[in-house]
Amino acid sequence: GENVEQHPSTLSVQEGDSAVIKCTYSDSASNYFPWYKQELGKRPQLIIDIRSNVGEKKDQRIAVTLNKTAKHFSLHITETQPEDSAVYFCAASKSGGGADGLTFGKGTHLIIQP
Amino acid sequence: GAVVSQHPSWVICKSGTSVKIECRSLDFQATTMFWYRQFPKQSLMLMATSNEGSKATYEQGVEKDKFLINHASLTLSTLTVTSAHPEDSSFYICSASDNNQPQHFGDGTRLSIL
């Protein structure tokens, strides 16, 4: 089955700086890669996703890049703010996320230092 | 849009009790619903995939007789943890999707077995 590795497990950055979280996946059949933000005790919230026919996607301060050949994808957050502090999970799926369950990475605890 | 409601949010019960958790899609018809489990400070692990009107598909290592899943309609799936024991204590989260749309998560159920 699919295996998703996520690094780093903890990331501390100064407010205003950029944060980058990286994930790799093992199953070349995976073609959908969402990123979720989860605050303590709350539901994971989709912040951005990318499909395998696209190399990069951006939404305001958040961007995701995908390298299918190398089987890795990354989340980039620019101009970080205190409210960005949370645990971020990458995930992979063989479909658009609708028909197949998601395989999650272990998560990255992002800490924004004021 | 795409609201998923999960109930109850918190359950404490004695060992040996069975507990039912409901997952509802409020504003869309969910072709597929998924059940995940998340232990403290860990990632979400897919337990099973539930399609309306058919038997759930369980992930390897998940006991189908212990975690009963019923997907009676396009807006409701239930997970029953039968004869729960302390090791079943966890955060259980459902998600729902209509075909190829991204999965949307419920608020989760924190289950504590004494």
Side-chain angles (χ1 to χ4, degrees), chain B residues 45-100:
Chain B
M45 298 295 293
L46 179 66
M47 298 175 67
T49 301
S50 169
N51 290 293
E52 184 262 340
S54 61
K55 290 184 179 180
T57 303
Y58 290 81
E59 295 299 302
Q60 194 172 12
V62 178
E63 298 175 58
K64 63 179 181 179
D65 294 329
K66 181 167 185 63
F67 299 98
L68 301 179
I69 292 171
N70 183 278
H71 195 156
S73 74
L74 283 171
T75 59
L76 174 64
S77 176
T78 61
L79 168 68
T80 301
V81 184
T82 62
S83 187
H85 289 96
E87 58 267 26
D88 298 321
S89 298
S90 188
F91 191 50
Y92 292 86
I93 313 177
C94 71
S95 71
S97 173
D98 54 353
N99 293 326
N100 287 321

Side-chain angles (χ1 to χ4, degrees), chain A residues 27-41:
Chain A
D27 191 343
S28 57
S30 291
N31 59 14
Y32 174 67
F33 309 94
W35 285 88
Y36 286 87
K37 174 183 180 182
Q38 187 180 32
E39 296 177 5
L40 190 62

Side-chain angles (χ1 to χ4, degrees), chain A residues 14-30:
Chain A
Q14 288 294 123
E15 182 178 351
D17 288 349
S18 296
V20 179
I21 303 171
K22 298 182 179 181
C23 288
T24 60
Y25 62 99
S26 61
D27 191 343
S28 57
S30 291

Side-chain angles (χ1 to χ4, degrees), chain A residues 32 36 38 41-44 46 49 51 89 95-102 104-106, chain B residues 4 32 34 36 38 42-44 46 49 91 93 97 99-103 105-107 110:
Chain A
Y32 174 67
Y36 286 87
Q38 187 180 32
K42 296 190 176 180
R43 74 174 77 188
L46 178 70
D49 58 7
R51 297 177 190 272
F89 292 98
S95 69
D100 294 301
L102 296 167
F104 283 86
K106 291 189 183 299
Chain B
V4 177
T32 311
F34 303 89
Y36 295 84
Q38 185 177 32
Q42 293 190 25
S43 188
L44 290 85
L46 179 66
T49 301
F91 191 50
I93 313 177
S97 173
N99 293 326
N100 287 321
Q101 295 303 310
Q103 293 182 30
F105 285 86
D107 279 329
R110 190 160 303 283

Side-chain angles (χ1 to χ4, degrees), chain A residues 11-113:
Chain A
L11 178 60
S12 181
V13 301
Q14 288 294 123
E15 182 178 351
D17 288 349
S18 296
V20 179
I21 303 171
K22 298 182 179 181
C23 288
T24 60
Y25 62 99
S26 61
D27 191 343
S28 57
S30 291
N31 59 14
Y32 174 67
F33 309 94
W35 285 88
Y36 286 87
K37 174 183 180 182
Q38 187 180 32
E39 296 177 5
L40 190 62
K42 296 190 176 180
R43 74 174 77 188
Q45 291 192 310
L46 178 70
I47 56 172
I48 197 166
D49 58 7
I50 192 167
R51 297 177 190 272
S52 60
N53 58 347
V54 176
E56 184 174 354
K57 184 176 178 181
K58 190 173 180 180
D59 182 4
Q60 298 183 334
R61 296 187 298 111
I62 296 173
V64 56
T65 58
L66 171 66
N67 183 326
K68 275 205 76 177
T69 304
K71 296 201 197 73
H72 66 70
F73 56 113
S74 301
L75 176 71
H76 303 253
I77 305 175
T78 58
E79 300 172 23
T80 52
Q81 301 167 3
E83 53 265 36
D84 294 330
S85 294
V87 179
Y88 291 80
F89 292 98
C90 62
S93 168
K94 292 179 184 177
S95 69
D100 294 301
L102 296 167
T103 300
F104 283 86
K106 291 189 183 299
T108 296
H109 186 191
L110 177 62
I111 302 165
I112 307 301
Q113 303 278 6

